[in-house]
């Protein structure tokens, strides 16, 4: 990085370039969309497992942990989706190292799978007829497609966790930027409290 000199010929820190030698990595809109669909898909998938799919999966998180923990987790996931959609820099990451890129790539694949799973849960009938041509006796084909869709939705949060880990793997930028103002932070806290009250109320 070249030094900037003042008129007197000496080094003047105030004239030094403000740009770092490297930049943090911002998430493009498609990554943010896959991230949000993966989280929302997990919630929808767990609700779907309260029906006949739950017979094959054990009821998922809802059947294992109970209604209140499920609602609290769902509130947290919905709030995270809100932050990612409102603030594009929420998923800003350090420039990943080799392991970080690997985690990021695997996480992206899992998030996309989770997003496709939640879309598939709303298209079980046409997908069944597309791939199997016939639902079979007692609609067993619908069950099979729904089961696979539910399994895919479970991959979404795993992908999000791997993606979040990848954000920490790499060299931290020398620039510290305030992404959320104190005013917005108070608004977000109020929203979180409201969502929590709505979820457990």
């Amino acid at each position: 990085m070249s030094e900037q000199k003042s008129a007197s010929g000496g080094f003047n820190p105030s004239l030094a370039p403000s740009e770092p030698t490297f930049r943090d990595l911002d998430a493009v809109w498609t990554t943010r969309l896959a991230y949000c669909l993966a989280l929302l898909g997990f919630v929808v998938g767990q609700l779907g497992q309260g029906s006949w799919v739950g017979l094959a999966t054990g009821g998922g998180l809802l059947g294992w942990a109970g209604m209140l923990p499920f609602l609290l987790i769902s509130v947290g996931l919905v709030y995270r989706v809100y932050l990612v959609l409102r603030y594009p820099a929420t998923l800003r990451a350090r420039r990943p190292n080799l392991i970080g890129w690997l985690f990021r790539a695997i996480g992206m694949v899992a998030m996309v799978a989770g997003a496709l799973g939640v879309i598939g849960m709303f298209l079980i009938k046409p997908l069944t007829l597309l791939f199997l041509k016939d639902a079979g006796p007692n609609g067993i084909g619908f069950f099979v497609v729904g089961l696979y869709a539910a399994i895919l939705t479970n991959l979404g949060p795993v992908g999000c966790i791997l993606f979040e880990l990848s954000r920490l793997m790499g060299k931290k930028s020398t620039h510290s930027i305030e992404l959320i103002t104190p005013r917005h932070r108070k608004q977000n806290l109020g929203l979180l409290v409201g969502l929590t009250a709505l979820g457990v109320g």
Side-chain angles (χ1 to χ4, degrees):
M1 181 183 297
S2 61
E3 296 183 347
Q4 299 290 331
K5 294 185 177 181
S6 64
S8 61
F11 174 69
N12 187 350
S14 64
L15 297 179
S18 58
E19 291 295 325
T21 56
F22 59 92
R23 293 177 179 272
D24 287 337
L25 190 64
D26 284 323
V28 297
W29 72 268
T30 50
T31 299
R32 293 165 51 215
L33 179 62
Y35 185 100
C36 293
L37 285 177
L39 293 183
L40 292 177
F42 177 73
V43 176
V44 174
Q46 295 302 308
L47 291 174
Q49 291 186 39
S51 60
W52 41 266
V53 177
L55 296 176
T57 61
L61 177 64
L62 183 59
W64 175 73
M67 180 60 72
L68 182 59
F70 170 75
L71 289 176
L72 293 176
I73 292 174
S74 298
V75 166
L77 296 181
V78 171
Y79 179 70
R80 181 62 176 172
V81 168
Y82 159 78
L83 292 178
V84 171
L85 292 179
R86 182 172 184 184
Y87 306 104
T90 300
L91 296 182
R92 178 174 293 166
R94 300 177 182 180
R95 183 67 58 174
N97 53 28
L98 182 59
I99 298 179
W101 279 115
L102 180 61
F103 273 47
R104 189 180 180 90
I106 297 175
M108 279 296 302
V109 172
M111 288 192 301
V112 171
L116 292 176
V118 68
I119 294 174
M121 293 195 72
F122 291 98
L123 300 173
I124 290 178
K125 184 174 181 179
L127 287 176
T128 301
L129 298 179
L130 175 64
F131 291 110
L132 301 180
K133 305 302 181 183
D134 183 10
N138 300 320
I140 188 64
F142 298 135
F143 171 80
V144 172
V145 173
L147 179 61
Y148 276 106
I151 292 174
L152 286 178
T153 60
N154 290 332
L155 294 177
V158 176
C160 292
I161 292 173
L162 291 175
F163 185 85
E164 291 290 349
L165 290 175
S166 75
R167 295 177 58 212
L168 303 176
M169 296 179 180
K171 190 174 182 181
K172 188 176 182 180
S173 172
T174 54
H175 267 351
S176 178
I177 302 176
E178 184 71 17
L179 301 179
I180 302 177
T181 64
R183 174 171 170 269
H184 286 162
R185 191 173 287 111
K186 291 180 180 179
Q187 292 177 349
N188 297 339
L189 179 60
L191 176 64
L192 178 60
V193 172
L195 286 174
T196 304
L198 181 64
V200 302

